[in-house]
């Protein structure tokens, strides 16, 4: 038993992934002050009853600015280019209020599904201007009580071939953009696009998070140039690529070489199961390729990886509830993950995306913010397979939500 002075809050009987038995967590000033088998102290107590307690899910790649568009686009699209055209045609009419309302709907669902950290990609170009950026900045401010939201600004429809886009990107970076993305496959000069994105990243000292190699033709890709730029600029550990579905089409020897290249360059990979599976392989008459890069295998080869949401209810992905636990379960099913891989699949929505985003204060550790979620399972091995409910969440030691267990009414009750 550990005797301590007063805390603001004590969590009793929290089962951590790192502990064989439940522990107590003392919170003071919104931060974790002590973790011990038993704390003897006076404080407000919450008994977690031996349930799995995590620091929250981390969503590295989502688009809050273009979520929830199905009701206005007559969706019947089946390709990436059609989805891009559909959204491009709508975003001229986006208002700050419209983007805010749609983004808030998704953000609130993410919160109650246990996400505590998020990087949202925000489109910046002459059609949308900075309206989407201003809306998401407001979301960042208004929901800081429950989630840390990072803004990654990027040009969806090209850069060198889209006059005015670069000036808007620079303005957004000056006004609070915390990372920069790119989409070289939409540019007439992909290498120049990448070089300019890295230039801006260095100028503003922000991380890079690119949409990259989003098809199933592995005969060409932009991965080599991204790794070259990363190493030349000493940006290892500060670059991520999203989708990278070309990797799913590689034979084993080339995949092994790609994994070695990514690990050496310090380039992370985010897999986006809902979108990648929806858009890839649709033209195949039978035995369709999945188009899903195996993140858990790459992680085993030393590549920092994550699984993320990407789009919710729009032409890129007409599904979604912003639940990263469901996404990890979905990924595990489609990726033929074995039971022994389940721990890694949980890592892909917790510890590994935190590393990808360079979050220095993530995790249930003394000194870190008391950001916790509690899952309705008493065995961490079952979190992926069982898909337990997320019962409650806390941000800085303050409760942000609770989910009531359902009540069954049997004929005898």
């Amino acid at each position: 038993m550990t005797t301590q002075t007063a805390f603001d809050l004590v969590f009793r009987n929290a089962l951590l992934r790192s502990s064989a038995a439940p522990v107590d967590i003392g919170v003071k000033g919104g931060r974790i002050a002590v973790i011990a088998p038993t704390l003897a102290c006076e404080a407000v107590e919450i008994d977690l009853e031996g349930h799995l307690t995590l620091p929250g899910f981390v969503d590295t790649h989502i688009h809050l600015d273009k979520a929830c568009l199905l009701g206005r686009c007559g969706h019947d699209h089946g390709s990436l280019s059609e989805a891009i055209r559909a959204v491009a045609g709508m975003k001229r009419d986006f208002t700050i209020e419209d983007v805010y309302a749609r983004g808030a709907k998704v953000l609130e669902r993410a919160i109650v599904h246990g996400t505590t950290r998020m990087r949202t990609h925000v489109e910046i170009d002459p059609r949308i201007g900075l309206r989407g950026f201003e809306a998401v900045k407001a979301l960042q401010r208004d929901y800081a009580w429950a989630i840390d939201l990072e803004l990654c600004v990027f040009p969806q429809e090209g850069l060198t071939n889209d006059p005015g886009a670069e000036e808007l990107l620079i303005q957004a970076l000056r006004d609070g953009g915390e990372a920069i993305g790119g989409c070289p496959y939409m540019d007439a000069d992909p290498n120049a696009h990448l070089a300019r994105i890295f230039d801006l990243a260095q100028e503003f000292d922000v991380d890079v998070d690119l949409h990259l190699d989003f098809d199933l033709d592995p005969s060409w890709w932009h991965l080599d140039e991204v790794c070259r730029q990363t190493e030349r600029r000493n940006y290892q550990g500060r670059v991520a690529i999203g989708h990278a579905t070309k990797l799913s089409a590689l034979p084993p020897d080339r995949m092994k070489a790609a994994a070695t290249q990514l690990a050496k360059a310090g380039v992370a990979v985010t897999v986006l199961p809902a979108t990648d599976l929806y858009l890839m392989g649709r033209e195949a008459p039978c035995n369709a390729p999945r188009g899903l890069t195996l993140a858990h295998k790459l992680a085993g080869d030393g590549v920092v990886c994550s699984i993320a949401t990407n789009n919710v209810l729009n032409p890129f992905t007409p599904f979604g509830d912003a639940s990263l636990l469901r996404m990890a379960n979905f990924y595990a099913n489609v990726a033929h993950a074995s039971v022994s891989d389940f721990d890694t699949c949980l890592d892909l929505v917790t510890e590994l995306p935190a590393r990808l985003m360079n979050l220095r204060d993530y995790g249930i550790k003394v000194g870190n913010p008391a950001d916790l979620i509690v899952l309705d399972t008493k065995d961490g091995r079952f979190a992926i397979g069982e898909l337990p409910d997320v019962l409650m969440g806390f941000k800085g030691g303050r409760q942000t939500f609770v989910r009531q267990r359902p009540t069954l009414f049997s004929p005898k009750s």
Side-chain angles (χ1 to χ4, degrees):
M1 179 179 293
T2 301
T3 303
Q4 293 284 338
T5 55
F7 296 107
D8 302 324
L9 173 66
V10 171
F11 294 103
R12 300 286 187 194
N13 301 308
L15 179 66
L16 308 183
R17 294 182 71 192
S18 59
S19 60
V23 296
D24 290 351
I25 303 171
V27 177
K28 192 171 183 62
R31 292 187 173 270
I32 297 171
V34 66
I35 302 172
T38 306
L39 285 175
C41 62
E42 293 294 327
V44 175
E45 297 185 3
I46 298 178
D47 189 353
L48 302 185
E49 301 176 346
H51 287 107
L52 180 64
T53 305
L54 302 174
F57 300 122
V58 182
D59 201 331
T60 62
H61 191 127
I62 193 170
H63 295 265
L64 294 177
D65 55 341
K66 57 188 183 188
C68 303
L69 293 172
L70 288 186
R72 65 179 73 175
C73 68
H75 176 70
D76 191 25
H77 314 100
S79 71
L80 174 61
S81 60
E82 288 173 327
I84 291 173
R85 282 196 299 271
V87 173
M90 287 185 279
K91 69 182 176 184
R92 293 178 184 274
D93 298 324
F94 288 176
T95 64
I96 293 175
E97 295 76 17
D98 168 48
V99 174
Y100 184 99
R102 290 184 286 102
K105 182 178 179 181
V106 174
L107 204 53
E108 290 179 6
R109 297 205 74 181
I111 290 166
V112 300
H113 285 307
T115 297
T116 56
R117 310 285 185 109
M118 176 183 284
R119 173 182 284 174
T120 182
H121 291 247
V122 186
E123 294 190 17
I124 307 288
D125 61 43
R127 287 153 293 284
I128 182 65
L130 295 175
R131 296 190 303 279
F133 178 69
E134 292 300 330
V136 179
K137 273 207 308 180
L139 290 170
Q140 180 188 51
R141 177 194 66 229
D142 293 348
Y143 286 90
W145 56 271
I147 190 169
D148 293 320
L149 186 61
E150 180 185 277
L151 278 61
C152 177
V153 297
F154 86 110
Q156 169 74 75
E157 297 173 48
L159 183 60
T160 69
N161 57 330
D162 198 5
E166 182 173 323
E167 290 76 12
L168 288 166
L169 271 177
I170 292 171
Q171 189 174 341
L173 288 166
R174 286 175 176 161
D175 197 25
E178 298 157 289
I180 188 169
C183 203
Y185 55 80
M186 292 298 296
D187 203 299
D189 190 342
N191 285 353
H193 178 114
L194 287 168
R196 192 61 190 132
I197 294 299
F198 275 91
D199 286 343
L200 292 171
Q202 288 189 296
E203 180 180 345
F204 288 93
D205 191 23
V206 295
D207 291 356
V208 175
D209 197 334
L210 303 160
H211 293 64
L212 201 79
D213 293 339
F214 195 12
D215 62 44
L216 296 177
D217 180 3
S219 66
W220 63 272
W221 60 16
H222 298 128
L223 176 63
D224 291 338
E225 180 64 14
V226 170
C227 291
R228 190 184 75 81
Q229 291 279 356
T230 300
E231 293 180 309
R232 184 171 74 83
R233 298 168 189 261
N234 295 317
Y235 240 58
Q236 294 93 335
R238 301 192 65 181
V239 178
I241 58 176
H243 298 294
T245 52
K246 285 180 184 286
L247 293 174
S248 73
L250 295 179
D253 57 336
R254 285 192 61 196
M255 184 61 177
K256 190 71 174 178
T260 300
Q261 180 182 16
L262 287 162
K264 177 177 177 291
V267 174
V269 176
T270 294
V271 173
L272 305 159
T275 302
D276 298 345
L277 284 158
Y278 177 69
L279 290 176
M280 295 296 101
R282 295 182 67 86
E283 71 286 350
C286 63
N287 199 24
R290 300 178 181 211
L292 187 76
T293 291
L294 299 183
H296 68 291
K297 299 287 191 183
L298 281 174
D301 286 329
V303 181
V304 175
C305 292
S306 69
I307 292 169
T309 299
N310 196 38
N311 283 289
V312 177
L313 301 175
N314 73 11
F316 294 87
T317 320
F319 314 101
D321 59 0
S323 168
L324 278 180
L325 187 60
R326 183 186 66 81
M327 194 64 73
N329 170 279
F330 179 47
Y331 167 87
N333 271 268
V334 177
H336 290 145
S338 63
V339 174
S340 60
D341 296 320
F342 282 5
D343 269 347
T344 302
C345 291
L346 190 55
D347 289 340
L348 288 167
V349 289
T350 54
E351 305 294 337
L352 289 172
R355 284 180 56 193
L356 184 152
M357 289 179 61
N358 290 305
L359 302 177
R360 308 301 184 193
D361 61 352
Y362 177 84
I364 302 177
K365 302 172 185 174
V366 172
N368 282 354
D371 299 350
L372 311 175
I373 62 169
V374 182
L375 275 60
D376 193 12
T377 181
K378 296 186 178 182
D379 191 330
R381 297 173 301 173
F382 298 153
I384 293 296
E386 189 180 357
L387 267 182
D389 288 336
V390 184
L391 296 176
M392 63 185 80
F394 298 83
K395 176 76 171 140
R398 175 190 174 275
Q399 189 158 12
T400 54
F401 72 91
V402 63
R403 177 175 283 104
Q404 300 296 335
R405 287 193 179 92
T407 300
L408 294 178
F409 297 97
S410 72
K412 297 178 182 179
S413 60

